[in-house]
Amino acid sequence: MANLHVIIGEDDYLVSEAAKRVIGDGGGLEVIDSLNSTNAELQLADLREADASFSTPPFLDPVKVTWWKNVGFLPQSGKSASSEEVKAALEKFAHKLASATLPENQHFILSGPRLLMTSIFAKTLKTAAEVVSFAAGKPWEATKNAVVRVMDLAAEMNMKFAPGAAEAFVARVGTDSRSLFSELNKMRDYLGGGRHTVSEDDVAEISSQGVGVEPAMWTVTDAIGARKVDSAMEALARFEGENGFAIMVTNAIERFFRQMVELKDAQERGFLDKATEGMAPFAVKKSIGFLRNWTLRELRVARLRFLKLREKAVSSSASVDAIVATEVIRTLRKSQAGRRIGAR
């Protein structure tokens, strides 16, 4: 294992956890925090302090670990976060780090949110350091990774998610690992000692909306699919007052009913397996559950209603926001014909 460690990522929880694996019990730890070093003078001062700590061996101490953290002025793509003076000083320090031979009981950790891996600084450190990068990636990748991460964290807490619940949890809390960990601890307390499976209802009941996380439209369509009027009204209320409310909601609901019509038709024709190819297993299971609540005729009528309502929202100068909730309630009420038809 290398004694020189570079940890890059904007998720401070993941960065901290990676650093802790090197730090151990915290003995002999020296921390230089550059979180508030926003100008060249402060940045150079932090660099000198990190250099001094790195250059001082542990002597008779059992172990020494220097953690230079939150270094936000490392080389990165786009506009430079540091001056030419700081850039030159960083490159000089990188050469010093890469050429040094640390004793077995000394470690140096450098962490920051971003680092251009093609920079001279990064290329120099790669020759001697253990580099860990938690790349932000595309939004869908961040969500996918967060779902995997939260399922692993839940398992460590003796919990598991019901199908679709992990995705619901991430959609509500966000992808920040520290928030996910905090909300999982809250969920563990909520479930108590007698329960270990987290359902979507549990997520809706106890999990807090993450900072900057927009309400998810699937909460509306899921409630509609389940024909739960109260849940649908509660979900709709989260979007009321937003610009383009009627257009946004009717578009999502019409698209939901369009898919449900296709799946219900395929189900009645015996081709549901083919129609659901490529869908996530939890989404298939959830959709099949929804199909039990609707006849094909009801789905077609509902889609037509929201298609017309969407067209009205787009073309009319008058607000149709108030009509949306009324139309949802009207659609979710089971007709006498629907009750007689049953599962058709």
Side-chain angles (χ1 to χ4, degrees):
M1 180 180 177
N3 291 44
L4 182 61
H5 313 267
V6 178
I7 307 171
I8 303 299
E10 297 185 47
D11 191 319
D12 70 318
Y13 177 84
L14 293 180
V15 171
S16 295
E17 288 300 301
K20 286 177 183 177
R21 286 192 283 273
V22 179
I23 294 168
D25 61 7
L29 177 63
E30 294 182 10
V31 177
I32 299 99
D33 193 342
S34 292
L35 181 62
N36 297 315
S37 299
T38 55
N39 59 52
E41 182 180 356
L42 293 174
Q43 292 166 1
L44 289 170
D46 288 350
L47 197 157
R48 287 192 294 270
E49 186 177 355
D51 189 356
S53 180
F54 170 77
S55 301
T56 306
F59 295 116
L60 299 178
D61 293 329
V63 67
K64 177 180 181 179
V65 181
T66 301
W67 184 11
W68 188 16
K69 62 190 295 189
N70 295 317
V71 187
F73 47 91
L74 297 176
Q76 51 198 268
S77 59
K79 186 178 179 181
S80 177
S82 61
S83 66
E84 288 299 319
E85 183 184 11
V86 172
K87 180 181 177 182
L90 282 171
E91 290 179 2
K92 182 179 179 181
F93 186 47
H95 283 289
K96 181 175 182 177
L97 292 174
S99 61
T101 301
L102 292 176
E104 291 185 3
N105 60 339
Q106 182 178 359
H107 290 263
F108 185 90
I109 307 169
L110 169 66
S111 67
R114 292 168 297 278
L115 173 61
L116 181 62
M117 293 301 175
T118 56
S119 65
I120 295 174
F121 180 86
K123 288 180 178 180
T124 302
L125 288 181
K126 282 181 183 179
T127 62
E130 176 189 61
V131 180
V132 177
S133 178
F134 300 103
K138 298 177 181 178
W140 68 267
E141 291 176 326
T143 300
K144 180 181 178 180
N145 292 337
V147 170
V148 174
R149 189 158 59 249
V150 82
M151 292 176 73
D152 290 341
L153 288 171
E156 293 175 7
M157 299 180 187
N158 195 24
M159 292 188 295
K160 65 179 181 178
F161 285 93
E167 290 80 1
F169 185 82
V170 171
R172 187 171 183 85
V173 177
T175 59
D176 175 70
S177 296
R178 196 172 298 281
S179 298
L180 293 173
F181 183 75
S182 175
E183 288 296 317
L184 277 176
N185 274 307
K186 188 167 70 173
M187 182 65 72
R188 177 68 278 173
D189 292 340
Y190 173 75
L191 294 179
R195 290 178 59 201
H196 303 283
T197 301
V198 181
S199 68
E200 290 190 55
D201 287 340
D202 294 327
V203 173
E205 178 67 26
I206 195 65
S207 300
S208 301
Q209 195 83 30
V211 177
V213 177
E214 296 294 330
M217 188 57 69
W218 58 260
T219 58
V220 175
T221 54
D222 275 9
I224 289 174
R227 295 193 91 144
K228 295 180 178 179
V229 177
D230 290 344
S231 297
M233 292 301 99
E234 181 182 347
L236 275 176
R238 299 174 188 166
F239 297 92
E240 288 179 351
E242 293 189 11
N243 290 332
F245 165 79
I247 296 174
M248 174 178 62
V249 173
T250 54
N251 183 62
I253 296 175
E254 185 277 327
R255 187 168 60 247
F256 169 75
F257 278 121
R258 186 196 323 153
Q259 182 184 46
M260 292 293 288
V261 167
E262 293 173 357
L263 293 179
K264 188 72 174 181
D265 183 63
Q267 185 183 55
E268 295 194 351
R269 292 172 181 270
F271 301 115
L272 185 59
D273 288 345
K274 186 175 181 180
T276 55
E277 284 181 1
M279 291 177 61
F282 84 89
V284 174
K285 184 175 181 179
K286 183 165 61 174
S287 296
I288 291 174
F290 293 158
L291 292 177
R292 299 191 190 101
N293 303 320
W294 299 86
T295 67
L296 182 56
R297 181 180 181 279
E298 284 178 324
L299 291 170
R300 285 173 171 161
V301 170
R303 187 206 167 189
L304 182 60
R305 283 178 177 173
F306 282 94
L307 183 61
K308 290 181 177 179
L309 188 57
R310 184 183 66 185
E311 292 173 352
K312 186 176 182 180
V314 171
S315 61
S316 176
S317 58
S319 174
V320 296
D321 288 10
I323 305 176
V324 174
T326 302
E327 194 61 56
V328 169
I329 294 173
R330 178 187 176 193
T331 300
L332 295 187
R333 287 175 177 164
K334 293 187 178 181
S335 66
Q336 292 295 326
R339 282 192 283 269
R340 287 197 299 272
I341 293 171
R344 258 193 68 76

